[in-house]
């Protein structure tokens, strides 16, 4: 299983009046983590989109444990929790600078044609991505 890591420097604009990261910003950080994982596998989302394919979020689950604060460096850890050639579930853990777990999350995605939003088979359309995802995914997969 590939575990990708992305450091995030918490900016003032990402926090609320109490200096705590606003909850929706964790979703943005998850996107940064997911993009880093794809790049760690040797690919770029932009290349997929240039070929008329998008990867929208179809479900998301997030659990907040401890707040990240302004001025901290957060670490987003991302992995492929589940992959079946069509659907992908990414797993995330976001850690505070002191190593405490801040957030756990999963986001589910499918790849679709941009013009119709009809699902595509990653296995058929992007065989290189498929092979890389198969090798990088979590070994024991349940139904996700």
């Amino acid at each position: 299983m590939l575990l990708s890591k992305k450091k995030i420097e918490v900016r003032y604009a990402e926090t609320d009046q109490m200096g705590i990261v606003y909850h929706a910003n964790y979703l943005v950080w998850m996107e940064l983590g997911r993009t880093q994982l794809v790049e760690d596998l040797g690919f770029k989302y932009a290349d997929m989109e240039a070929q008329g394919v998008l990867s929208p979020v179809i479900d998301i689950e997030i659990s907040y444990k401890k707040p990240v604060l302004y001025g901290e460096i957060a670490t987003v850890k991302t992995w492929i929790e589940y992959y079946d050639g069509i659907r992908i579930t990414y797993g995330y853990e976001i850690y505070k600078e002191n190593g405490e777990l801040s957030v756990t999350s999963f986001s589910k995605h499918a790849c679709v044609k941009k013009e119709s939003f009809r699902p595509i088979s990653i296995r058929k359309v992007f065989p290189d991505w498929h092979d890389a995802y198969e090798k990088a995914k979590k070994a024991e997969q349940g139904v996700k």
Side-chain angles (χ1 to χ4, degrees), residues 16 21 38 57 64 80 98 133:
D16 62 17
V21 172
V38 168
V57 174
Y64 301 96
I80 299 166
N98 66 5
Y133 271 56

Side-chain angles (χ1 to χ4, degrees), residues 64-100:
Y64 301 96
K65 311 290 185 192
K66 296 228 177 201
V68 178
L69 307 174
Y70 171 65
E72 289 187 317
I73 306 281
T75 301
V76 181
K77 295 183 180 180
T78 310
W79 64 92
I80 299 166
E81 179 71 18
Y82 175 81
Y83 172 72
D84 66 6
I86 296 173
R87 291 173 301 275
I88 309 131
T89 301
Y90 296 96
Y92 311 86
E93 291 177 342
I94 300 175
Y95 289 87
K96 295 171 57 65
E97 190 168 3
N98 66 5
E100 290 182 291

